[in-house]
Amino acid sequence: MRSPDIPQDEELRLATLRSLNILDTAPDERFDRLTRMAKRLLGVPIALVSLIDENRQWFKSCVGLGATETSRDISFCGHAILGNDVFIIPDAQKDERFADNPLVVGEPNIRFYAGCPLRAPNGCMLGTLCVIDTKPRNLGLEDLEALEDLASMVESELAAMQMASLDALTKISNRHGFMMLAEHSLHLCARQKIPASLVFMDLDKFKPINDKFGHAEGDLALAAFAEQMNSTFRDSDIIARLGGDEFVVFLTNTTMKDAENILVKFHKSLDKYNRDTRRGYDISFSYGIVEFNPKKHRTIEAFLKDGDSLMYDRKKAKLAGKQSEKGN
């Protein structure tokens, strides 16, 4: 038996899954309806919506199987999320990866498996919509299309759940979404002794933009700032709009020096945007960088508080410096 490999984006993938608050929740008709359809349309005894947690696969919806979860290391779905296409095993007994798998040699006696990966809006693979049979078989083109269509519907339901964690204007995480994602990453960094940094940012002179150009232009400035964050920071970084003109970035496996270098790149990107767009104002910001201290930052709230405090001090010093220049 071969256990599934771990995806390269595992840290972000797990954080995304946890942010949905879906694990260990009660059955939901939205998902049960789709597994019943998969079972009926494909003529199989078992259909599942399986979500791959750190050490287990947990079934949000399960038709034809009494279990609610199994170990990840024996899961078929753990293999399925490593690719983009439907993962098909026509006869598990003839596949060296699964021939001696406990789920094959014992209950539920899997012979045929087909799992379509479920992708979150940020691209992470969360699990699968899968169908299982106790007899060898394969999928025809129409069956394959039906499974993919149903999986797309499951993805839509998961995306709707994630939307509650997104900021409607900027399309990045809101405060709630950030707290969920970052809290998990913080615990992971503490457990694995991984360095991390947090950057707390606040736009400069944002009120004058609203007052002079209107709130629609202010919204455009906020969205543009978020877009520059998306294009500059790494896929593994957690970026969010906390509210108003406050933004934050949680950078894993990143020292303060590394974070400062990334901010230099971000400044250049923002400067280029200002030069290219010439909207009558420049988007600028003040920031505070905090390096993760496991003894001090036991919660993400404590981490944020330090970042906010440093940002405020820096912004205050910046304003004082400008006033001093005017006085001279």
Side-chain angles (χ1 to χ4, degrees):
M1 186 192 81
R2 194 170 83 196
S3 297
D5 295 331
I6 301 299
Q8 291 185 345
D9 65 345
E10 179 73 352
E11 181 183 327
L12 179 62
R13 192 193 70 79
L14 286 173
T16 302
L17 175 60
R18 304 281 173 79
S19 73
L20 297 179
N21 283 328
I22 191 175
L23 294 172
D24 299 307
T25 56
D28 190 321
E29 178 61 22
R30 292 177 297 174
F31 297 100
D32 291 345
R33 181 179 67 252
L34 296 173
T35 49
R36 289 196 302 266
M37 290 176 64
K39 178 178 182 291
R40 183 172 66 252
L41 289 175
L42 279 69
V44 293
I46 301 170
L48 311 166
V49 171
S50 174
L51 300 174
I52 306 300
D53 198 2
E54 186 173 8
N55 297 309
R56 60 172 178 159
Q57 62 170 350
W58 178 77
F59 308 137
K60 175 57 183 173
S61 181
C62 179
V63 177
L65 191 65
T68 58
E69 63 180 64
T70 70
S71 174
R72 179 177 178 175
D73 61 1
I74 63 171
S75 71
F76 283 62
C77 298
H79 292 270
I81 66 168
L82 299 174
N84 295 307
D85 301 322
V86 178
F87 183 72
I88 301 176
I89 304 297
D91 188 346
Q93 288 186 348
K94 295 182 179 180
D95 191 310
E96 62 180 12
R97 294 170 295 179
F98 303 102
D100 58 348
N101 187 296
L103 302 176
V104 175
V105 298
E107 293 291 336
N109 303 115
I110 297 174
R111 293 293 293 276
F112 164 78
Y113 170 92
C116 187
L118 301 172
R119 188 188 300 269
N122 65 358
C124 292
M125 297 297 189
L126 303 180
T128 72
L129 172 65
C130 66
V131 291
I132 294 169
D133 204 336
T134 55
K135 300 176 294 185
R137 56 174 292 180
N138 216 320
L139 290 183
L141 181 59
E142 290 187 359
D143 286 342
L144 186 61
E145 290 175 346
L147 182 62
E148 291 174 333
D149 287 344
L150 290 171
S152 178
M153 295 169 71
V154 175
E155 287 180 339
S156 295
E157 296 293 351
L158 293 171
M161 298 177 72
Q162 191 177 44
M163 283 302 291
S165 299
L166 292 179
D167 177 61
L169 175 63
T170 60
K171 310 305 180 192
I172 61 177
S173 291
N174 58 20
R175 177 180 284 272
H176 169 72
F178 175 80
M179 299 302 280
M180 293 296 300
L181 291 168
E183 193 71 49
H184 172 71
S185 294
L186 191 77
H187 292 156
L188 180 68
C189 290
R191 189 169 64 249
Q192 301 290 338
K193 295 181 172 57
I194 298 172
S197 296
L198 181 141
V199 183
F200 196 108
M201 295 183 279
D202 185 86
L203 297 193
D204 295 332
K205 299 180 180 179
F206 180 66
K207 187 176 183 298
I209 296 176
N210 278 330
D211 292 345
K212 182 176 181 179
F213 299 94
H215 288 281
E217 188 66 28
D219 286 350
L220 189 150
L222 292 170
F225 189 79
E227 184 178 346
Q228 294 304 309
M229 292 175 72
N230 262 327
S231 63
T232 303
F233 292 100
R234 306 163 301 184
D235 291 341
S236 59
D237 299 329
I238 303 170
I239 66 175
R241 179 191 177 199
L242 296 180
D245 57 355
E246 292 182 340
F247 293 81
V248 67
V249 188
F250 184 101
L251 305 100
T252 56
N253 199 21
T254 306
T255 64
M256 182 179 288
K257 184 177 180 181
D258 293 333
E260 289 172 344
N261 290 334
I262 295 173
L263 269 185
V264 170
K265 181 181 177 182
F266 180 59
H267 270 293
K268 290 180 180 178
S269 175
L270 198 58
D271 288 343
K272 183 177 186 304
Y273 170 84
N274 289 327
R275 290 195 305 270
D276 291 347
T277 57
R278 299 181 180 179
R279 301 196 67 84
Y281 60 87
D282 284 346
I283 301 175
S284 61
F285 67 99
S286 299
Y287 66 92
I289 303 179
V290 185
E291 190 161 9
F292 176 49
N293 181 338
K295 294 182 180 179
K296 185 179 181 182
H297 304 127
R298 297 186 180 276
T299 65
I300 193 63
E301 287 90 349
F303 212 4
L304 276 173
K305 184 178 180 181
D306 277 0
D308 186 15
S309 179
L310 283 173
M311 182 280 299
Y312 179 78
D313 289 344
R314 190 161 187 164
K315 190 160 195 164
K316 188 177 178 181
K318 185 188 295 186
L319 289 172
K322 289 182 178 180
Q323 289 174 355
S324 177
E325 289 177 6
K326 289 181 179 180
N328 296 330

